[in-house]
Amino acid sequence: MTELIPVPVTVRDVGSAGGFVLDETTVIDAGPGTGATARWLRGVLGAATGLALPPGAGDDGETIRLRIQPEDAGHLGPEGYKLYVNGDDITIHGGGPAGVFWGAQTLRQLLGPDAFRRAPVAPGRQWLAPGTFVEDTPRFAWRGLMLDVARHFMPKEGVLRYLDLMAAHKLNVFHFHLTDDQGWRVEIKRYPKLTEVGSWRARTKFGHRASPLWEEKPHGGFYTQDDIREIVAYAAERHITVVPEIDVPGHSQAAIAAYPELGNTDVIDTTSLSVWDTWGINKNVLAPTDNTLRFFEGVFEELLELFPGEFVHVGGDECAKDQWQQSPTAQARIAELGLGDEDGLQSWFIRHFDTWLTARGRRLIGWDEILEGGLAPGAAVSSWRGYAGGITAARAGHDVVMCPEQQVYLDHRQHGGADEPVPIGYVRTLEDVFRFEPVPPELSPEEARHVLGAQANLWTEVMEDTGRVDYQAFPRLVAFAEVAWSALPAPAERDFADFERRMTAHYGRLDALGVGYRSPAGPHPWQRRPGVLGRPIEGTPPNV
């Protein structure tokens, strides 16, 4: 009963009230606004238990009641909930529809690991929810996971699975990294070559970019617009917002390979470019021309129809300036607009789309490089190079999502052992992630209010399939979810021993969900990648 993850604000054993047994008489009584959660509960618990769980208002001992209680929203907020289990019924009261859903996720945990399976493994067993009272609400409104599907494509079914895994851990923002040098993954109907040409590459570097190994076969894939609509709807049913990312003006070789006029044609022969097959910072960036602006306005117009959320991510990171320095066209634009230098040119490019999105009722968010040169008031920042960008942004009045690479880039290795597959970056253990603190102490209370929350990032250069993504994400994503949801003490005061105790039970849930996590004992033989070169960084990561 006390093995819940993320740890709730309040949880009490009320065994004196008895537990609730789910059986053939159990019904789900869904109040107004809770129908989606009732359908979800019926689907997942019905599959795991073999019970019908039909709608209805049952007698004592028969009913799971779902209710939205607006009066609870005052102190719990729209995502907060109260869950009470006794011998008569199970009640979930939420401050809003999302609160009811998160309460239902907690109920699923109370029923044991087999409640996470897709079919009964012990037909006829008793399903007992122990007498429990939980009152809970999240610390942060933005509890995110970024998944890079550009470097290695994840088919739609894998994305839907990750949305389920997010929901099981009360994460609510899916940052969908759809484009990069190595692939363009979303159908844009007015520009069909983006997927015809840009969605696949002839071969792929295996390991770090210094590795001598290649996978000599085509790699690719993309999501049709109907796929995207399905993903967005599936996420919405789980109270997850999808934030799409179209990376500009750097990380754009796949787009330039499809439409060579987007590149700096006065510097290189852009018609010779193909989708990039290796990793790193690419010097082939977008040309700062009116044609490029109009092209990407067309891309974003279609994107806004697919993604109804408030934020659109435009990347803005790691834009090499070499070609702009050599380009007469770029230099003429700098002079014409009085921008000073190439950094000013990048800022102008980003501000253009900031203004464009704002005029359409959306908000731009980008990696912390977009701070260079100034931002419009409504723009938000993903602070990835450390805390510094987020601190600067918050002090300037911009909203911030904290995702410092030194702390929550889950592509970084999780142990220093020789068996870790393709070791990248610093060692970030489960405990390290558990002690991550999204709000820097340097911020005043007023400035800290600009920290919307936190996000864990999964870059997939060396994650060639879903099994590798699982290995890098779990179990560390579980610790991250607790940091993002729960009101934890200061990092040094957090009870990691208690978290490990709760994880002992949670591994059973991950097993039932089929997650290929890293075992505390180390990688299984099939999870290793012997002889594949990585890029480990030794020492303690800087807190910058």
Side-chain angles (χ1 to χ4, degrees):
M1 188 276 294
T2 57
E3 294 163 343
L4 299 175
I5 289 180
V7 66
V9 174
T10 301
V11 57
R12 290 197 302 270
D13 183 342
V14 288
S16 59
F20 184 91
V21 176
L22 278 71
D23 59 24
E24 291 78 5
T25 67
T26 304
V27 297
I28 299 178
D29 179 5
T34 69
T37 295
R39 287 191 296 275
W40 177 85
L41 260 180
R42 190 171 295 114
V44 296
L45 294 188
T49 64
L51 300 173
L53 305 175
D59 298 326
D60 285 352
E62 297 178 353
T63 310
I64 300 172
R65 289 190 174 84
L66 310 178
R67 296 289 187 271
I68 295 172
Q69 302 280 52
E71 60 269 25
D72 285 339
H75 70 283
L76 288 179
E79 292 191 279
Y81 66 91
K82 294 177 182 176
L83 167 65
Y84 187 55
V85 180
N86 61 29
D88 294 331
D89 58 19
I90 296 173
T91 61
I92 301 174
H93 290 171
V100 176
F101 181 72
W102 302 131
Q105 291 286 358
T106 299
L107 171 61
R108 190 186 191 189
Q109 289 194 19
L110 290 174
L111 290 168
D114 286 347
F116 290 79
R117 297 190 179 276
R118 295 187 183 183
V121 295
R125 66 168 281 183
Q126 184 184 71
W127 290 91
L128 174 68
T132 310
F133 173 75
V134 179
E135 183 172 331
D136 204 9
T137 192
R139 180 185 179 191
F140 292 110
W142 186 301
R143 306 180 303 280
L145 172 68
M146 193 248 22
L147 181 63
D148 167 21
V149 297
R151 273 53 176 268
H152 277 99
F153 179 65
M154 181 178 285
K156 181 191 69 178
E157 286 303 314
V159 174
L160 299 179
R161 173 176 175 265
Y162 258 81
L163 291 169
D164 279 328
L165 291 173
M166 289 178 64
H169 295 89
K170 300 185 173 74
L171 297 172
N172 70 340
V173 178
F174 180 56
H175 176 166
F176 208 6
H177 184 80
L178 288 164
T179 72
D180 220 293
D181 299 300
Q182 297 86 0
W184 184 284
R185 305 295 180 209
V186 56
E187 177 188 28
I188 302 296
K189 292 190 174 180
R190 75 186 71 183
Y191 304 128
K193 290 182 182 177
L194 286 172
T195 47
E196 290 171 4
V197 174
S199 71
W200 69 277
R201 56 183 181 262
R203 64 175 187 167
T204 301
K205 175 68 71 172
F206 194 31
H208 180 251
R209 61 181 174 271
S211 167
L213 304 176
W214 294 88
E215 187 176 42
E216 297 285 354
K217 67 178 183 181
H219 177 86
F222 67 93
Y223 310 102
T224 68
Q225 293 200 356
D226 281 344
D227 290 338
I228 294 292
R229 292 184 182 97
E230 180 182 356
I231 288 167
V232 169
Y234 195 85
E237 289 172 355
R238 287 147 184 80
H239 298 277
I240 295 171
T241 299
V242 183
V243 176
E245 180 181 353
I246 302 295
D247 208 340
V248 295
H251 288 289
S252 295
Q253 183 162 318
I256 298 169
Y259 292 92
E261 65 270 22
L262 296 174
N264 294 284
T265 57
D266 54 351
V267 176
I268 64 163
D269 176 12
T270 56
T271 62
S272 68
L273 296 178
S274 58
V275 177
W276 211 26
D277 56 13
T278 188
W279 322 121
I281 299 176
N282 190 312
K283 297 190 184 302
N284 294 306
V285 303
L286 298 175
T289 63
D290 290 341
N291 175 65
T292 300
L293 297 180
R294 299 293 88 75
F295 183 97
F296 278 91
E297 286 171 1
V299 169
F300 284 121
E301 281 176 4
E302 292 195 26
L303 219 67
L304 296 189
E305 295 177 0
L306 298 171
F307 296 94
E310 177 181 9
F311 287 99
V312 175
H313 207 292
V314 299
D317 62 314
E318 297 180 330
C319 179
K321 307 300 194 300
D322 307 58
Q323 291 181 358
W324 287 354
Q325 290 167 354
Q326 301 166 33
S327 164
T329 300
Q331 293 303 312
R333 176 128 277 181
I334 291 171
E336 169 199 349
L337 300 174
L339 299 174
D341 58 17
E342 291 76 23
D343 288 340
L345 187 60
Q346 179 174 347
S347 178
W348 164 81
F349 194 102
I350 295 296
R351 284 201 309 270
H352 173 86
F353 288 103
D354 190 350
T355 302
W356 189 92
L357 288 166
T358 299
R360 288 154 181 80
R362 305 298 184 93
R363 290 180 68 188
L364 178 145
I365 186 168
W367 304 111
D368 54 55
E369 286 96 329
I370 69 172
L371 284 165
E372 298 159 7
L375 282 178
V381 172
S382 301
S383 187
W384 76 272
R385 291 181 294 180
Y387 288 101
I391 292 169
T392 299
R395 286 177 171 165
H398 294 289
D399 288 338
V400 178
V401 176
M402 285 295 187
C403 49
E405 62 171 330
Q406 302 87 349
Q407 279 73 36
V408 288
Y409 268 34
L410 300 186
D411 47 303
H412 283 206
R413 59 195 174 129
Q414 45 201 322
H415 192 275
D419 287 335
E420 291 304 308
V422 200
I424 299 295
Y426 293 102
V427 172
R428 291 285 81 190
T429 65
L430 181 65
E431 182 172 1
D432 291 330
V433 175
F434 179 70
R435 298 194 189 280
F436 165 59
E437 173 49 49
V439 179
E442 298 94 320
L443 295 180
S444 70
E446 179 62 32
E447 292 164 346
R449 279 193 275 273
H450 285 291
V451 179
L452 299 177
Q455 182 170 288
N457 292 344
L458 280 167
W459 300 103
T460 62
E461 287 94 335
V462 299
M463 294 182 229
E464 72 277 10
D465 55 34
T466 302
R468 282 286 290 120
V469 175
D470 277 8
Y471 181 90
Q472 293 300 132
F474 289 95
R476 292 181 297 179
L477 189 64
V478 183
F480 172 81
E482 179 144 313
V483 169
W485 176 279
S486 304
L488 300 177
E493 299 168 9
R494 293 175 188 171
D495 189 348
F496 182 65
D498 177 71
F499 179 76
E500 281 190 305
R501 180 188 63 78
R502 289 180 286 119
M503 275 302 304
T504 300
H506 199 70
Y507 285 120
R509 299 171 190 141
L510 296 180
D511 286 333
L513 288 165
V515 176
Y517 58 86
R518 183 191 189 276
S519 164
H524 297 297
W526 58 86
Q527 292 173 321
R528 300 168 189 163
R529 297 292 184 273
V532 181
L533 185 67
R535 186 182 63 91
I537 305 173
E538 301 304 330
T540 302
N543 193 14
V544 294

